[in-house]
Structures are given as C-alpha cells and as structure tokens.
Amino acid sequence: MSPPFSSDRAPRHLRPQGGPPQHRPAPAGLRVGQRLVVTPAAYDADGFATAQGQRASMVIWGGVAGEPGEVEVRHIGQNRIRSRFIQAAQPAAARRAPPCPRYDACGSCALMHLQPEAQRDVRLGLLAEALRALPGLPLPTTMVQGEDGDENYRHYVKMAVGQSDLGHIRVGAYRRGSHDIVAIPDCVVATPRLREAMATVAHHIIDLDLRPYNPANRTGIMRHVLLRQSRIDGRVLCLLVTGRNHRLLKELATRIMGSASGISGVWAHFNDEAGNGILGWGAEGEGPGFSMLEGAPLITEQLAGERLLLGPGDFFQVNPGVADRLVRDVRDAFADLREYPVVDLYCGVGAFTLPLARAHGYAFGVESLPGAVMHAKEGAEQGHLGAEFFVGEATAQLAAVAERLKGRPPVVVVDPPKKGLEEGVFEQLLALKPARVAYVSCEPTSLARDLARFAAAGWTVSALRAYDMFPQTAHLETLALLEPPERPAPPTSTLRRRVVRKPAG
Ligand SMILES: C[S@@+](CC[C@H](N)C(=O)[O-])C[C@H]1O[C@@H](n2cnc3c(N)ncnc32)[C@H](O)[C@@H]1O
C-alpha cells in the first residue's frame, strides 16, 4: 500500500532529511493551505517543531523532531512559515494522542502531543541550547519533578472574557493564534477544583449577561478571571478583572461564593487601559488596586514548612509542589553558609525569604509590588521571623539593602521575571560581595546572558538544576548556584530586626 502522502509533494527546500536533496527555500512557491511533508529537526522556545531552510524557517504546531510528517501551511511570513501537523505515515515513538480535548484549539500546552519523558528531553534540550555559548557548565540531564505529576498540577489559571461572532459571551482561553475565546472546562493541567471553579464563574458571568469590556469605546464590563487554589487547604481566591465598576459585580461575587466550588474570596480589579496587560498599573504608578467583594481576602500556602499569605495580585508559582522542592533545594544549598544573612531579590510574597530567614536568622526581601510585600511582611510576623522588606525596583532598593548590611557579606537569591537582571542590578549585587548566589530563572536565554556576566567577573557555576514546573509546555525553571572567585569571611556581628516604635500620644 502506498503511504497516504509522499515527500514528492513537498517543495524541494522542505523535503525530509535523508530524502531527495534539500534546496534553497522558495517561500514564494508556497501557498496557505498547501500540504507537504517535512521532517523538523528541533524545537523552538515555544515548543513548536522547526525545520530550517536557507532563507526561511518553518514552525510546525504538533510536529515531532526527526519524524517526517504531513503539515498544512497556515501562514507565510517573510522569514517564517507557520504550519500545523496533519499526520505521519510512521508516527515517532515520542508521539502520543494529547490527553486534552482542547489541546489544539487552546494551544497553551505545546508539547502535550509528546510522551512525558520525551517532553522533558525537549525542555532540557532547550535549556542546553540556550546555554550553549557557555563552556563547561554542569548541564542537568534530568528534571526535578513534583508529587502532583504532569496533569492536574496548575494551581493558578487565567480566563479571558470575550464574545462569539454571534455575540454570545465566551469565558476561557484565547484560541491558539487568535483573540477568539475557547471554553476550557476540561483543562487537564488545572487541578480538579480549579476546573470546577472555572465552570462556576463562567456560568454566572454568562447568566448575568456581564459582557466583555471593549477599551476602544468603553462598553461592556468583564475582561479576565484569575483563580488561584491553595495546595495546603484547597481554598480558591478569585479575582474579577473588569474595565469598569458595575452594580452586578457584587451579585456575581455573591453567586460565586454561594456555589460549592471551594472559592473562599472574590476580589475585583479595574483595568480600563488598552492593550493585553491583565492588571492595570494604577494612577500613580503605585501598583494595581483591588477591591474586596466577598469572603476572605487571602489564601495561605506553605513552602519548605513556612506559611505564606497570598493576595489576589501577587506572583506565586503555578506549581506549588515543584516550588516546594525548589525552595528546599535553595535552602539546603546554603547549608554551609548559615552565618551569612540572606538577600532575596524579586521576593514576591517571600517564597524564599521566609524559609531562608528561618534557616539563617535574618533575610532581606526586595519586591516591586506593594501588595506582595505587605503579605510577605505579615507572613514573616506570623512566623516570628527576622525579615525586612524593601518595596520598589531592585535597582533602586539595592542601595538601601547595602546600607542595612553595613558591609556584612550575604548569600543572595535572585528570582527575576523573564527578562532577567535589569541594568544596574548586577553591579550592585556584586558590590554586596555575596558568599554564594542562587539564581532561579524561568527563561533560559536571559539566564544565559546573566551567567555570562557572572563568568566574566570570575564567578563559577557549581550546580545547575532543572525543575519541571510547567509540564506539557516548553518551559522550565532552572536553579544555578554561583560561587565567587573568593569567598568573603562570614560577618562577625548578627543583624537585628528594626523595631519601629509608634510615636507617643
Ligand atoms: C518570578 S517572580 C518571583 C517571586 C518569588 N521569588 C516567588 O518565587 O514567588 C518575580 C517577582 O519580581 C517582581 N519584580 C518584577 N520586576 C521587579 C523589579 N524591577 N524589582 C523588584 N521586583 C520586581 C515581580 O512582582 C514578582 O513578584
């Protein structure tokens, strides 16, 4: 029997490796909708399989590297062709049927069509590729996994509110490559309780006819729904992001709280700004504002045995089971340096600060979001921990940290957003003369850039670990432990908590 398709139908520049010779790409010869056979060679940072021509590359949704497959061209750009996998005459051993019915429409889980071990190989490969220019690194060959597994692990979900062509309200994820909304009631990476909460909130938004907000003409109300579940007690915090206030929001919150979906508190945040940002930044640049609508304001989490308080706009890892392993590992990695105080840059609600304050006796946290710092402080107080927090940009706050350290060398944790360490942070960090740095990163390319800067300053990477924080996707969390050219002597005096006395009267 002849195969269902043949590589002869492919333009010559995209023929499978090992088949007829590959020639210069000729995107002009392609048309949208055309089917051809391609053997991708690698994956891009988003988890798309890639095939490289001389003048153009092709990215293939659902492709598997090394597997010749029929693809359909979806978009032809100047340098990049977008396509979608259709079928393979001989599916690769790594391929599987994605366990989620919305895998293709939603598009959030780009590697779900691969067996779990094959996915981990891809994530480790992308990390190795990003770090390729740095010689001699102890690259990880396995990933640290959490107890929650590769499905049901997400304790945080975001849904957008939009409408169908017929004007029906839709609540769910953005359809892959578009701003249409696709309902995701069966999302297999969300916890079962969050799936229930998602369905409940979507139902009541539709039932109350709370229409999507349109920033262009300031009509409608709803923009997004964010739900976070505590891994410790299962409670769920709900944040309704709306373009404007409306009397029915209170009714929505009451209905949500009255449902049996485990939601323990409902907040609102108003964002009337144009653009794709979910949270608006507030009038004075002082951070997003929130109003409590119903129930309890916070949920609690626990990492490395420390209780943390989470509010509606705070950053916290989506996979607390893996985050717990990561925080314990950082704490253990500093075990021989307990006499040094801790500096935790980009500290959020104190995920590292609080456990390290317990272990080292004293820790400083720096974070730009005032709400997260408020919750970090409260968490430290409840845990009777020696910790101080600085609100603001790391670049601006590092001088205050140095002032408090008064020359005592610290150990430092940095856990920056995707862009890595911003201008000015690196130099100020080195000036603190750290005894060791734990660099936690969610973006291999900015990690590579920053590790190169440390290397140029004489630092060495003593360990690199990969954490499987986002199964089914191309993303991962990495921990790099960095050693200074010369370790500073431990401080001779300890730090004490600053007591702020209330003025008399
Ligand atoms: C990747 S999160 C890490 C949070 C925390 N370490 C954790 O694990 O939960 C990065 C944090 O840095 C904060 N942030 C972003 N840019 C910042 C800046 N320039 N200065 C200080 N904090 C910043 C964000 O608000 C966020 O809480």
Side-chain angles (χ1 to χ4, degrees):
M1 205 173 92
S2 60
F5 52 84
S6 140
S7 59
D8 290 346
R9 288 164 51 188
R12 284 187 300 180
H13 65 287
L14 288 169
R15 277 183 188 153
Q17 286 165 5
Q22 307 229 345
H23 288 265
R24 288 168 74 83
L30 277 181
R31 58 182 166 73
V32 171
Q34 186 174 341
R35 291 195 174 186
L36 51 135
V37 175
V38 181
T39 305
Y43 296 90
D44 71 9
D46 296 321
F48 286 75
T50 58
Q52 188 61 49
Q54 269 180 319
R55 290 205 310 265
S57 63
M58 178 181 272
V59 294
I60 305 151
W61 169 259
V64 176
E67 175 200 72
E70 186 184 27
V71 307
E72 185 175 284
V73 174
R74 291 288 167 91
H75 173 81
I76 301 172
Q78 204 135 52
N79 303 311
R80 201 159 64 155
I81 303 155
R82 290 193 162 276
S83 70
R84 184 195 176 292
F85 169 81
I86 302 294
Q87 59 183 333
Q90 285 183 316
R95 183 179 285 287
R96 67 168 180 174
C100 176
R102 304 294 165 109
Y103 149 80
D104 193 33
C106 162
S108 300
C109 293
L111 297 183
M112 198 180 250
H113 63 298
L114 298 183
Q115 300 288 352
E117 279 313 313
Q119 290 186 26
R120 281 186 262 282
D121 287 345
V122 173
R123 292 190 276 275
L124 287 169
L126 288 169
L127 176 66
E129 176 62 22
L131 299 175
R132 196 161 45 109
L134 300 168
L137 288 182
L139 288 175
T141 52
T142 56
M143 301 192 84
V144 180
Q145 292 168 250
E147 287 164 11
D148 296 338
D150 295 332
E151 295 176 14
N152 307 318
Y153 70 84
R154 269 195 88 99
H155 284 65
Y156 183 52
V157 290
K158 299 175 192 172
M159 294 192 293
V161 183
Q163 62 185 18
S164 70
D165 292 346
L166 296 174
H168 300 305
I169 299 173
R170 292 270 183 267
V171 186
Y174 287 119
R175 185 177 286 279
R176 184 164 59 83
S178 93
H179 269 90
D180 295 346
I181 306 285
V182 47
I184 44 168
D186 308 321
C187 174
V188 303
V189 291
T191 65
R193 177 161 285 187
L194 277 189
R195 289 204 284 272
E196 218 175 289
M198 285 153 83
T200 300
V201 177
H203 165 77
H204 288 300
I205 288 173
I206 294 166
D207 200 48
L208 286 168
D209 197 31
L210 289 165
R211 314 220 50 94
Y213 181 72
N214 181 349
N217 55 16
R218 296 177 183 261
T219 56
I221 301 157
M222 296 300 305
R223 296 191 83 161
H224 291 93
V225 178
L226 315 187
L227 294 161
R228 181 180 292 286
Q229 183 192 333
S230 161
R231 187 166 180 267
I232 298 306
D233 60 18
R235 286 171 194 238
V236 176
L237 200 59
C238 172
L239 175 62
L240 306 169
V241 182
T242 72
R244 63 192 171 97
N245 204 349
H246 192 277
R247 65 186 165 78
L248 280 178
L249 287 177
K250 185 78 180 154
E251 168 68 14
L252 174 61
T254 308
R255 285 197 188 188
I256 290 172
M257 288 296 293
S259 65
S261 56
I263 295 178
S264 58
V266 184
W267 287 83
H269 166 71
F270 306 116
N271 175 13
D272 62 2
E273 294 165 19
N276 294 333
I278 295 181
L279 300 183
W281 194 246
E284 308 281 311
E286 59 197 15
F290 301 90
S291 12
M292 182 81 230
L293 294 177
E294 284 273 346
L298 305 178
I299 53 172
T300 55
E301 262 300 351
Q302 193 169 305
L303 292 183
E306 284 318 318
R307 196 163 166 267
L308 301 162
L309 303 175
L310 306 187
D314 301 340
F315 174 91
F316 196 70
Q317 295 286 8
V318 300
N319 190 335
V322 175
D324 186 58
R325 298 281 311 266
L326 171 61
V327 172
R328 285 173 191 273
D329 283 357
V330 170
R331 187 189 59 187
D332 295 350
F334 289 155
D336 57 329
L337 302 172
R338 291 287 186 244
E339 55 288 46
Y340 295 81
V342 177
V343 174
D344 179 11
L345 289 184
Y346 312 95
C347 70
V349 297
F352 293 98
T353 338
L354 271 52
L356 290 172
R358 175 84 61 204
H360 289 246
Y362 215 87
F364 297 96
V366 177
E367 161 65 43
S368 59
L369 282 180
V373 168
M374 198 169 80
H375 302 137
K377 275 184 183 166
E378 255 177 81
E381 265 163 36
Q382 289 182 9
H384 306 289
L385 292 166
E388 264 172 67
F389 294 90
F390 297 84
V391 191
E393 301 288 311
T395 30
Q397 297 305 315
L398 267 162
V401 173
E403 166 65 28
R404 276 294 282 134
L405 282 167
K406 293 212 173 356
R408 296 176 185 88
V411 288
V412 176
V413 184
V414 294
D415 183 7
K418 277 188 163 189
K419 63 182 179 209
L421 302 181
E422 66 263 45
E423 267 318 296
V425 166
F426 179 73
E427 294 73 14
Q428 291 191 73
L429 193 158
L430 286 201
L432 297 179
K433 303 220 176 314
R436 185 169 294 147
V437 171
Y439 192 131
V440 178
S441 162
C442 60
E443 175 52 60
T445 50
S446 57
L447 174 68
R449 180 203 62 208
D450 291 341
L451 290 188
R453 292 160 100 184
F454 275 102
W459 286 60
T460 47
V461 176
S462 57
L464 261 180
R465 281 178 218 148
Y467 292 80
D468 213 2
M469 193 73 85
F470 318 96
Q472 321 294 349
T473 78
H475 307 295
L476 80 170
E477 201 80 5
T478 307
L479 167 64
L481 294 175
L482 287 142
E483 311 297 331
E486 200 178 326
R487 181 174 301 162
T492 48
S493 61
T494 52
L495 280 147
R496 287 234 189 94
R497 204 147 165 213
R498 268 189 174 163
V499 180
V500 182
R501 296 188 197 286
K502 280 191 185 155

